[in-house]
């Protein structure tokens, strides 16, 4: 999947037209979708981000030199350690969070992406406040593969646990985890625990109602 300047992911679909604001030209994140047929956006920045194993797997593909630029920049994600990515004047951090094993023996993993708030006081000194940044900080999770166990959460890094305490703004779901006719119990349990504000698909597919109902919706008319 490709990210945009603020770290929002998207798996571009063949034959689909995307508007100028949907052209995710930032880093290529080596999730499961990156090793399947996918579209490389025009004027892509040429940055590839992934685990050591996934970077080796990508370089081993027969069509690697034909698809990716010879002058690509490669960044290795180490488990539970944030990696800074800069693109188009903005900065985000990406963390690979190991999440155990699937029933097929594959490594389960999620990605934590944190966008950096913009320091408006650089241009507007009169807005100096007690906090260094004004609103704009976003915390997101990408669910790539997930096992039926959540015991990886207490073992995760302190910074990731702190993000969970502060609240996750959005979870992006790999649509292949979803079954049109049944509830994915592992995914249900994970999202129910995290309680994100928003839930989207990596290919912009409509999410099932049982998943969307897990969002904590604030009652605007509730009494304080």
């Amino acid at each position: 999947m490709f990210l945009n300047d603020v770290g929002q992911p998207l798996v571009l679909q063949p034959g689909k037209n995307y508007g100028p604001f949907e052209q995710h030209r930032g880093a290529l994140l080596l999730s499961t979708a990156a090793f399947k047929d996918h579209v490389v956006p025009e004027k892509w920045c040429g940055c590839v981000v992934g685990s050591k194993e996934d970077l080796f797997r990508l370089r081993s593909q027969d069509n690697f030199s034909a698809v990716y630029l010879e002058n690509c920049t490669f960044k290795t994600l180490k488990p539970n350690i944030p990696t800074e990515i800069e693109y188009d004047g903005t900065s985000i951090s990406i963390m690979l969070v190991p999440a155990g094993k699937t029933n097929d023996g594959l490594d389960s993993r999620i990605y934590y992406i944190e966008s950096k708030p913009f320091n408006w006081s650089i241009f507007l000194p009169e807005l100096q406040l007690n906090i260094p940044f004004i609103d704009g900080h976003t915390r997101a999770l990408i669910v790539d593969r997930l096992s039926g166990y959540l015991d990886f959460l207490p073992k995760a890094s302190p910074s990731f646990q702190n993000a969970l305490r502060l609240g996750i703004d959005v979870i992006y779901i790999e649509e292949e985890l979803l079954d049109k006719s049944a509830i994915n119990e592992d995914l249900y349990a994970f999202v129910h625990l995290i309680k994100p504000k928003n839930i989207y698909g990596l290919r912009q597919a409509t999410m099932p109602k049982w998943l969307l109902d897990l969002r904590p919706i604030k009652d605007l008319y509730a009494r304080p």
Side-chain angles (χ1 to χ4, degrees):
M1 75 189 77
F2 292 88
L3 308 177
N4 63 8
D5 56 337
V6 293
Q8 296 172 324
L10 180 65
V11 178
L12 301 178
Q13 300 293 295
K16 183 176 180 180
N17 294 323
Y18 294 92
F21 296 103
E22 295 178 304
Q23 292 292 330
H24 287 49
R25 298 175 176 139
L28 167 62
L29 181 58
L30 294 183
S31 64
T32 302
F35 296 97
K36 301 177 181 180
D37 290 338
H38 63 274
V39 177
V40 178
E42 297 179 1
K43 298 180 181 179
W44 171 50
C45 72
C47 178
V48 182
V49 183
S51 67
K52 180 180 178 180
E53 294 76 14
D54 285 336
L55 287 171
F56 176 81
R57 180 183 174 190
L58 183 71
R59 291 188 177 102
S60 301
Q61 291 184 334
D62 294 335
N63 64 341
F64 171 75
S65 60
V67 176
Y68 301 101
L69 306 175
E70 294 182 358
N71 59 346
C72 280
T73 301
F74 297 93
K75 289 201 172 186
T76 303
L77 295 179
K78 298 180 180 179
N80 294 314
I81 298 178
T83 298
E84 299 293 324
I85 303 293
E86 293 186 1
Y87 167 68
D88 200 22
T90 61
S91 176
I92 63 174
S93 69
I94 304 176
M95 182 189 298
L96 170 62
V97 182
K101 298 280 187 180
T102 66
N103 294 332
D104 298 329
L106 299 175
D107 289 330
S108 297
R109 58 194 180 185
I110 60 177
Y111 297 94
Y112 170 56
I113 297 181
E114 184 176 304
S115 66
K116 304 299 181 181
F118 188 78
N119 190 352
W120 288 97
S121 64
I122 296 175
F123 300 98
L124 300 172
E126 64 273 15
L127 292 181
Q128 293 286 351
L129 303 174
N130 293 328
I131 54 176
F133 295 107
I134 297 177
D135 190 24
H137 208 139
T138 303
R139 292 173 291 274
L141 296 180
I142 298 174
V143 179
D144 187 31
R145 289 196 295 260
L146 197 62
S147 70
Y149 302 95
L150 300 178
D151 57 349
F152 69 92
L153 291 174
K155 304 173 186 176
S157 69
S159 61
F160 180 64
Q161 293 184 25
N162 184 58
L164 296 181
R165 285 191 292 269
L166 292 173
I168 298 300
D169 296 297
V170 57
I171 285 184
Y172 297 94
I173 305 294
E174 168 57 70
E175 285 93 338
E176 293 185 358
L177 294 175
L178 301 173
D179 189 316
K180 294 181 180 180
S181 59
I183 293 177
N184 184 321
E185 295 181 359
D186 298 339
L187 184 59
Y188 182 97
F190 178 73
V191 176
H192 183 268
L193 179 64
I194 300 300
K195 291 181 172 56
K197 297 176 184 176
N198 297 286
I199 303 172
Y200 301 113
L202 290 176
R203 297 169 180 80
Q204 299 179 333
T206 301
M207 294 289 96
K209 184 177 183 300
W210 61 262
L211 195 57
L212 295 176
D213 286 346
L214 297 175
R215 298 171 298 176
I217 301 176
K218 182 178 181 181
D219 185 356
L220 298 178
Y221 301 99
R223 293 183 179 180

